[in-house]
Amino acid sequence: MLGLGASPPGRLGAREAFAYAVLRVVPRIERGERVNVGVVLHCRSRGFLDVRCEPDERRLLALAPDLDLPAVRQHLEFVRLVCAGDPASGYVAGLPQEERFGWLVSPSSTIVQPSPSHTGLCADPAETLGWLLDRLVRV
């Protein structure tokens, strides 16, 4: 459940269940260091699947000066395309939103990795996505 010390924004009343994961850049898997760079949120009842990313490239390069930033940008763009169901993301674009979310939050060994999935309740998924980005990604 959402454990961020406050409730997501939105009107009182009709709140819907959502799931989210934090996207993290792990420059060197063997070191275990990571930087939060985005949040992907899915609200099935609202037909909402989106991602917002704000990678702090200076922080990333401070952690790993040899990091391939274009590869990180490309991976995050791919996540955006998957969320949008854009055919440029390949076969996964045709999957239902719930399956695309599951695909995005599956553990991976790539440089961009998702956190475990978390849940909460919200009135406005887009507003909640921004709220999560504020609390989990922005410094």
Side-chain angles (χ1 to χ4, degrees):
M1 193 60 113
L2 194 66
L4 302 174
S7 297
R11 300 169 258 111
L12 291 178
R15 292 188 177 265
E16 305 291 339
F18 70 92
Y20 72 95
V22 178
L23 298 178
R24 303 164 169 168
V25 171
V26 183
R28 292 188 209 117
I29 292 171
E30 68 277 6
R31 291 181 57 101
E33 298 166 328
R34 59 186 177 236
V35 176
N36 293 351
V37 297
V39 178
V40 59
L41 186 143
H42 177 245
C43 182
R44 180 174 44 177
S45 62
R46 299 281 172 97
F48 183 91
L49 176 62
D50 201 3
V51 64
R52 292 200 190 145
C53 297
E54 290 185 9
D56 184 334
E57 294 182 355
R58 288 184 352 163
R59 280 181 71 203
L60 291 169
L61 289 174
L63 189 61
D66 59 342
L67 180 65
D68 185 352
L69 283 176
V72 170
R73 290 183 203 116
Q74 184 178 12
H75 191 105
L76 295 174
E77 175 62 9
F78 180 74
V79 171
R80 187 192 67 73
L81 293 172
V82 169
C83 283
D86 189 308
S89 64
Y91 83 94
V92 74
L95 297 174
Q97 280 186 346
E98 189 167 346
E99 290 181 42
R100 281 185 274 143
F101 178 74
W103 192 87
L104 289 168
V105 302
S106 295
S108 68
S109 61
T110 62
I111 195 166
V112 177
Q113 298 180 0
S115 73
S117 186
H118 304 282
T119 61
L121 297 172
C122 71
D124 181 338
E127 187 178 6
T128 300
L129 181 55
W131 182 81
L132 288 167
L133 191 72
D134 245 5
R135 280 153 185 77
L136 302 172
V137 176
R138 294 177 178 138
V139 178

